[in-house]
Amino acid sequence: MPTTAPQDPSQPWTRKAFLRGMTAVGLAPLVPAVLPAAAHAASAATRPGFDLVRDGVAVDVFVDAADHPAVIRAAGDLRADVERVCGVRPGLRHTLPERSTALVLVGTLGASPVIDRLAAQGRLDVRRVKGRWEASVTQVVEHPAPGVDRALVIAGSDRRGTVYGIYDTSERIGVSPWYWWADVPVEQRDAVSVPAGPFERREPSVRYRGVFINDEQNLTTWSRRTQEPDKNIGPKTYQRLFELLLRLKANYLWPAMHPYSDFFNKYRENPELADHYGIVVGSSHPEALLRNGVHEWAPWAEEHRGADGGLPVYDYTVNPAVISDYWRARARENAAYESSWTIGMRGLHDTALETKYATTTAEKVVVMNDIVADQRRILAEEVGAAAQPQIFIPYKEVLDLYNAGVQVPDDVTLIWPDDNHGNMRQLPDDAERARSGGNGIYYHLSYWGRPRSYLWLDTTQLTKVWQELRRVYEHGADRMWIFNVGDLKSIETGLSFSLDMAWDVDRWHAEDVAGFLAQWYGRQFGLLHAQEIASIRTEYYRLAAERRPEFIDRNMFSVVHHGDAAGRRMAAYDRLLERAVTLGADLPEAYRDAYYELVQYPVHGAYLMNLKYYWADRNALAVRQGRGAGANVLADLAEAAHAQEAALTERYNTKVAGGKWDGYVNPYPSQIPKAPGRPAVTRIPRQETSGLGVASEGNEIGTQRPLAFSAATRDRRFVDVFNTGFLAVDWAAEAEHPWVRLSTAGGTLTEQTRVWVGIDWARAPEGTHDVSVAFTSGALRFEVPLKVVNDGGRARRRARGFVEANGYVSIDAVHTERRVARGRARWRSVRGLGRRTAAVEAVPSTASPVTADFAARSPELRYRVRFDSTGTFPVTVFRLPSLDERGARRLAVALDDRPPTVLSGQAVATGNRGDAWARNVEEGVEKLTATVTVSAPGEHVLRVFMVDPGIAVDQIVVDTGGLPTGAYLAPPESYHPVFNPEPDAGTDAWPGLDAPSR
């Protein structure tokens, strides 16, 4: 784990580096203060910075010709980066100059005599670098060699340590790791310097950190169109990827593996290039010993037909010798490269293990043990001691076999998979943590498969990623983290954060994950806009946590309850898009492409995907309600939103960066299952008729359910007034009492309008009142009932906590009256997690479960609630999905001092569609329901206890008789004098058909 080195706050270079690159709009290059915390400026001395370019002259870069090829190549990237900034490229030297005022010295300990000499003389402090994994130090050394006055020394403990030190320097002068893959511009300057240091990059938290290019149909399409017309992802594309990984401080790759991509080893340049760059290449769970089964098995089988001429099948119980030779050939071919060797076996192309002659679990365990032994023998014979790391991935059915007794050698790394949706299925126990091979994880930021796929946008909340990665690290999974990034693009932010965590897992905490966003976007777009972009992205993630845009479907969000819950959601999206568009317009032209790719397109695309389904749902409701012209307007709006979404994506592919990303962005790749698409709509044939129709909030049709109003929440409710035909109709509305307010009292209507109803609480009499609003057109009359509860404001004045109103209590879980820590465990807030502003999580994740005597032993959340109703009521806890396939996911709830009720959540990932696990990952929450009994009105305390650690709670709802059944979202939060003193304020519903459909 990285350690913290002291940094003298009096050092002047930090502020100077920030200010040096500031322009009139606040743009600034990347500076050390925004590099990961594992890199430390450790010098207490005040020293002048080092000029890389001054007066049009660049300082030469020296690297010993005997150093690692990866280091020499990366030194070339530093030269190119200096040229990107200043327009002049430094020279490259392999011998020291006889005379030089300044020089950049790059080298690896043990591979560069110049660096070794400086270290031996004590002039280069390598105490926290030497012998470490991928560590480096960068500092200015005076008179480092005869004839050289001053040098910026970049020294690494090994080849990648040196490479990372080089790229740290590139970042410090303003070159983003995403300069090519996201078109982040490099600010041009006449001169550039870096701090004197020393600047240390300590060992990473996780040894192997990398990505899996998977479900790469769009990447393949783009690569063939723009990079290598004769290949489906080849060396030219991989070169770009290798450079990006190193700039992100990653070191590991599972390459593309689908039928539409060329397999990695088809081109021998690929593994050679990976080794040249310093990238460790492995393979995914179905690709044992670097073999790509989907491409390579069929030709191998053709060449190894049986004595009867039959093709061998990929079944170790049928053809062990043929399969063993198949693996051996690749081990021999790639023995010279730094590789990661996946052992074990699954079926071809991500299918289940086939074992014709082993039908029971016990028999399959024996077969798997034989497979592992055979593969180990092959590696020992063909690769020898260099066959490290070796990994075993208990993915899907293989996890069941592992838990049933597969014997994985102690020096093999166990790679624990998530459920494909960001929830870790199982974490190592004490015995597994003690293994010499250690543990790692395979984690999805993108996924193709059940129950739904999410490949289009980066929609996993960073706080969700933080929560799970923090948990796996606490459980000892620190040897390897591999992230499934799909096609790579759109995952820029999530991948950067995940790799940042992998380097320094302690860098970010529960309350400041948003700090990463501000820092990261500040590095791309400048300090002036960093906080606003971070806020935009946080809200974008929150809305996706309610439902990923890739998961959107018909009738997900209610258009009739809680002030049009779907409309409120669209209003939030509309406000978010307005902010994104406004900020983008303020950026200099050079930043527009990068901003479109990283910020605006994801927000706008998610908005339109939701918008077309919103209008389609409104259209379907309009048809059921018997609307005329208005139903067709809603159909038109749904179709228009779909067309705008297509145009938005077309712009990305053909206009952004001059068409650089042609074919890369596609919400609907042909291979994706259950992708949202174009929702069907219904149009009403035109009829020369007219008529008045009315549907009030809470009713799909008609007005039977009264509009509920409470003085505690001071609600407003809507009534939809519509034309049942196509000719204009006159209408009027009149309230029974003057203290009932209407947003409009009538007019002439061709299609539809929404009337808002509210109460003038200063004039309304106290008590409970059943009143009405009448809507008329000629002889037609509709009565809309209202139930108004006015206590004269006493509940607001007296309440110390949440107040029941309109038949429910709704609580954001983070809004506690008190939190009680017990037994070395506690509840903490995780800002930006879940559907609201924050969630609460029981920590540490390694705490022991509490199964009895909760009030004395379990950490507790307390909420004060004022009830008017009495009785036994359902209480639903919205907990964020998390799994533990060797344990349980439980919490307990109680009211006052009554015995708590234990609620058990889904702990196992089934991989199915339509069951509890599938529903949880689609909705992003699991709703656990018990009952509480309110014996008397007044103040009560609702209590939530931890049973199992690592469980997170988002919202809590008590239904006292006013909630509709089957609502997707929790109702708006109830009145609270501190946390929500104006419940209906700031929640303007969707403005209706006048809303712009961008």
Side-chain angles (χ1 to χ4, degrees):
M1 181 186 301
T3 55
T4 301
Q7 181 172 340
D8 185 357
S10 68
Q11 288 190 59
W13 55 260
T14 299
R15 178 168 175 77
K16 285 181 180 178
F18 266 111
L19 296 177
R20 184 181 298 118
M22 280 285 204
T23 68
V25 293
L27 296 169
L30 181 63
V31 294
V34 294
L35 286 171
H40 301 281
S43 174
T46 298
R47 304 175 61 195
F50 185 88
D51 294 325
L52 291 171
V53 176
R54 180 169 290 278
D55 298 326
V57 178
V59 173
D60 285 350
V61 177
F62 165 85
V63 57
D64 197 293
D67 213 320
H68 300 281
V71 173
I72 297 172
R73 191 212 59 78
D77 280 350
L78 177 61
R79 297 168 61 221
D81 289 340
V82 171
E83 185 177 23
R84 289 183 178 100
V85 175
C86 294
V88 56
R89 182 182 290 254
L92 178 64
R93 306 184 61 94
H94 295 307
T95 58
L96 290 172
E98 293 184 4
R99 183 75 184 94
S100 177
T101 57
L103 190 67
V104 177
L105 293 177
V106 175
T108 307
L109 291 169
S112 174
V114 174
I115 299 297
D116 290 342
R117 183 172 63 251
L118 290 174
Q121 293 171 349
R123 304 179 65 203
L124 180 67
D125 187 356
V126 297
R127 288 172 297 173
R128 288 182 289 265
V129 172
K130 188 175 183 179
R132 304 290 185 177
W133 179 265
E134 299 178 345
S136 68
V137 60
T138 300
Q139 73 175 74
V140 170
V141 176
E142 309 293 338
H143 305 292
V148 179
D149 295 341
R150 200 165 190 247
L152 178 71
V153 180
I154 303 172
S157 62
D158 51 30
R159 62 174 179 163
R160 280 189 295 271
T162 309
V163 169
Y164 297 150
I166 291 170
Y167 285 132
D168 279 342
T169 303
S170 292
E171 287 189 79
R172 291 206 296 280
I173 65 173
V175 179
S176 167
W178 294 98
Y179 79 95
W180 194 87
W181 280 98
D183 301 300
V184 176
V186 177
E187 183 187 348
Q188 303 296 300
R189 286 175 285 163
D190 294 331
V192 63
S193 65
V194 294
F199 183 83
E200 293 177 348
R201 178 170 287 278
R202 309 281 176 81
E203 279 191 323
S205 298
V206 179
R207 174 160 289 207
Y208 295 99
R209 311 161 306 281
V211 304
F212 181 19
I213 300 296
N214 192 217
D215 309 311
E216 65 278 2
Q217 184 181 355
N218 294 340
L219 172 59
T220 303
T221 301
W222 166 82
S223 177
R224 189 174 184 86
R225 287 183 185 177
T226 68
Q227 303 297 301
E228 299 159 287
D230 60 335
K231 298 179 177 66
N232 292 319
I233 306 182
K236 186 176 179 181
T237 302
Y238 278 116
Q239 279 183 286
R240 291 289 188 185
L241 177 60
F242 296 154
E243 181 190 332
L244 174 68
L245 291 177
L246 293 173
R247 286 181 183 268
L248 293 174
K249 311 305 182 287
N251 59 12
Y252 187 75
L253 173 70
W254 289 353
M257 51 81 74
H258 273 283
Y260 36 74
S261 302
D262 293 336
F263 66 97
F264 188 75
N265 280 280
K266 178 177 181 178
Y267 309 112
R268 292 311 299 166
E269 305 101 300
N270 283 341
E272 292 166 3
L273 278 169
D275 195 61
H276 185 67
Y277 275 72
I279 296 294
V280 181
V281 176
S283 54
S284 65
H285 46 87
E287 302 177 288
L289 270 61
L290 299 180
R291 275 294 195 180
N292 180 286
V294 70
H295 285 287
E296 297 189 89
W297 173 252
W300 181 271
E302 184 64 41
E303 294 173 2
H304 296 80
R305 288 180 177 270
D308 60 354
L311 284 172
V313 296
Y314 196 65
D315 182 336
Y316 197 81
T317 67
V318 177
N319 300 293
V322 176
I323 294 172
S324 182
D325 289 344
Y326 169 72
W327 290 331
R328 184 179 293 274
R330 178 52 43 76
R332 181 181 299 128
E333 189 177 40
N334 283 35
Y337 307 126
E338 187 179 9
S339 302
S340 167
W341 303 93
T342 299
I343 65 173
M345 189 176 182
R346 296 191 72 225
L348 292 174
H349 195 47
D350 201 11
T351 57
L353 177 69
E354 294 185 33
T355 52
K356 180 178 180 180
Y357 298 118
T359 57
T360 68
T361 296
E363 290 170 341
K364 292 178 181 179
V365 167
V366 172
V367 172
M368 186 65 78
N369 285 335
D370 290 343
I371 289 168
V372 169
D374 188 13
Q375 292 168 336
R376 296 269 287 178
R377 184 166 51 251
I378 291 169
L379 290 174
E381 294 169 357
E382 300 296 339
V383 186
Q388 294 292 333
Q390 297 175 29
I391 65 175
F392 181 84
I393 312 165
Y395 186 79
K396 291 189 175 179
E397 80 285 345
V398 179
L399 178 61
D400 296 331
L401 297 182
Y402 172 80
N403 287 335
V406 169
Q407 299 299 306
V408 180
D410 189 71
D411 63 337
V412 173
T413 304
L414 293 173
I415 303 297
W416 301 97
D418 68 346
D419 66 344
N420 306 315
H421 293 266
N423 305 294
M424 293 305 302
R425 296 180 61 179
Q426 184 170 305
L427 295 174
D429 59 22
D430 289 342
E432 289 157 344
R433 284 194 288 272
R435 297 165 46 84
S436 63
N439 298 266
I441 62 167
Y442 168 39
Y443 193 84
H444 287 76
L445 300 172
S446 172
Y447 179 63
W448 183 105
R450 297 178 179 175
R452 292 175 186 262
S453 304
Y454 56 104
L455 304 173
W456 177 37
L457 301 175
D458 174 15
T459 51
T460 302
Q461 281 183 309
L462 296 195
T463 41
K464 171 67 176 178
V465 176
W466 176 87
Q467 180 194 26
E468 289 293 304
L469 296 187
R470 182 73 239 178
R471 188 162 72 101
V472 304
Y473 193 81
E474 290 172 353
H475 281 78
D478 60 1
R479 191 63 56 89
M480 180 182 291
W481 287 2
I482 184 80
F483 299 100
N484 189 317
V485 296
D487 287 303
L488 182 65
K489 275 194 75 63
S490 92
I491 311 293
E492 298 96 339
T493 308
L495 175 59
S496 296
F497 177 73
S498 299
L499 291 176
D500 202 48
M501 283 276 292
W503 189 280
D504 185 355
V505 75
D506 293 322
R507 172 70 169 120
W508 307 105
H509 305 282
E511 287 291 327
D512 66 357
V513 173
F516 167 84
L517 288 171
Q519 181 190 95
W520 193 80
Y521 284 109
R523 290 158 71 178
Q524 319 309 322
F525 300 109
L527 304 176
L528 178 65
H529 302 295
Q531 290 294 341
E532 173 65 359
I533 300 176
S535 177
I536 289 170
R537 191 71 178 193
T538 298
E539 176 68 355
Y540 161 82
Y541 281 129
R542 186 194 69 79
L543 290 165
E546 291 182 341
R547 188 87 178 185
R548 294 186 194 267
E550 299 92 340
F551 291 0
I552 201 68
D553 211 337
R554 299 300 296 267
N555 303 312
M556 298 307 312
F557 301 97
S558 174
V559 296
V560 299
H561 295 297
H562 302 307
D564 183 356
R568 287 176 183 262
R569 175 175 160 83
M570 287 314 309
Y573 258 123
D574 191 62
R575 292 190 295 268
L576 182 66
L577 179 58
E578 183 66 32
R579 292 168 63 191
V581 170
T582 299
L583 192 153
D586 287 342
L587 288 173
E589 184 64 32
Y591 287 81
R592 300 284 176 82
D593 287 341
Y595 185 79
Y596 189 83
E597 296 170 44
L598 297 176
V599 182
Q600 189 167 329
Y601 177 82
V603 170
H604 205 161
Y607 165 85
L608 289 171
M609 185 69 79
N610 280 271
L611 183 64
K612 65 184 177 183
Y613 278 87
Y614 173 71
W615 291 132
D617 284 348
R618 288 280 303 270
N619 166 256
L621 177 63
V623 172
R624 293 195 297 273
Q625 291 174 340
R627 302 191 194 191
N632 293 350
V633 170
L634 293 161
D636 291 342
L637 288 167
E639 296 281 5
H642 182 78
Q644 289 156 12
E645 179 204 291
L648 194 75
T649 300
E650 179 72 7
R651 176 186 169 191
Y652 200 137
N653 286 307
T654 63
K655 303 297 183 185
V656 168
K660 175 181 177 179
W661 303 113
D662 185 17
Y664 209 136
V665 179
N666 181 5
Y668 317 108
S670 61
Q671 303 293 326
I672 184 173
K674 294 189 74 66
R678 185 175 190 164
V681 294
T682 302
R683 286 184 168 80
I684 306 300
R686 180 176 177 86
Q687 298 176 356
E688 302 302 309
T689 61
S690 65
L692 184 67
V694 173
S696 59
E697 180 177 337
N699 300 277
E700 285 215 350
I701 299 174
T703 62
Q704 182 176 0
R705 183 182 177 118
L707 301 180
F709 297 88
S710 168
T713 47
R714 298 180 183 176
D715 321 274
R716 67 172 190 159
R717 306 294 181 193
F718 71 83
V719 178
D720 281 342
V721 183
F722 53 86
N723 191 339
T724 61
F726 289 79
L727 302 178
V729 61
D730 294 329
W731 67 281
E734 184 179 7
E736 183 179 350
H737 296 285
W739 42 267
V740 176
R741 292 178 169 178
L742 305 177
S743 60
T744 183
T748 300
L749 189 66
T750 302
E751 298 157 356
Q752 54 218 345
T753 192
R754 179 162 283 181
V755 178
W756 289 97
V757 183
I759 304 299
D760 184 346
W761 295 104
R763 298 173 61 191
E766 290 191 27
T768 299
H769 308 279
D770 293 314
V771 298
S772 66
V773 175
F775 292 82
T776 58
S777 176
L780 270 176
R781 179 182 177 88
F782 297 91
E783 295 278 349
V784 176
L786 283 61
K787 181 174 285 294
V788 181
V789 179
N790 184 12
D791 67 349
R794 285 186 293 276
R796 281 185 166 228
R797 292 193 299 271
R798 297 174 180 175
R800 292 183 289 166
F802 293 94
V803 175
E804 177 202 358
N806 303 322
Y808 67 84
V809 179
S810 182
I811 300 170
D812 288 0
V814 73
H815 291 159
T816 54
E817 182 196 35
R818 185 182 174 195
R819 303 179 194 184
V820 182
R822 296 189 180 104
R824 298 183 180 178
R826 62 186 177 89
W827 293 90
R828 71 175 169 201
S829 298
V830 183
R831 189 168 299 280
L833 180 62
R835 293 176 168 185
R836 305 295 291 166
T837 58
V840 284
E841 178 190 21
V843 293
S845 65
T846 53
S848 298
V850 178
T851 56
D853 197 12
F854 299 110
R857 299 176 52 213
S858 174
E860 177 184 350
L861 303 170
R862 293 182 182 175
Y863 306 90
R864 189 174 295 276
V865 182
R866 173 175 286 276
F867 288 100
D868 284 336
S869 305
T870 59
T872 299
F873 306 119
V875 55
T876 300
V877 178
F878 290 60
R879 76 111 182 169
L880 302 179
S882 58
L883 303 172
D884 186 351
E885 300 203 1
R886 291 194 284 204
R889 310 304 292 144
R890 298 164 298 181
L891 52 80
V893 295
L895 189 67
D896 300 324
D897 294 325
R898 294 178 181 272
T901 300
V902 175
L903 303 177
S904 294
Q906 181 75 17
V908 175
T910 63
N912 299 326
R913 291 192 179 99
D915 62 6
W917 168 82
R919 183 175 61 253
N920 295 346
V921 297
E922 287 177 343
E923 296 187 4
V925 296
E926 182 175 25
K927 299 170 184 176
L928 306 178
T929 300
T931 59
V932 293
T933 298
V934 180
S935 56
E939 297 274 349
H940 295 267
V941 177
L942 184 64
R943 310 169 74 184
V944 178
F945 298 94
M946 181 201 87
V947 178
D948 295 302
I951 199 164
V953 179
D954 192 24
Q955 294 169 283
I956 305 167
V957 178
V958 183
D959 181 4
T960 58
L963 289 184
T965 58
Y968 183 90
L969 296 175
E973 190 174 33
S974 299
Y975 171 83
H976 189 286
V978 175
F979 298 123
N980 196 22
E982 298 297 334
D984 209 40
T987 56
D988 291 344
W990 186 242
L993 303 186
D994 296 328
S997 183
R998 293 189 179 89

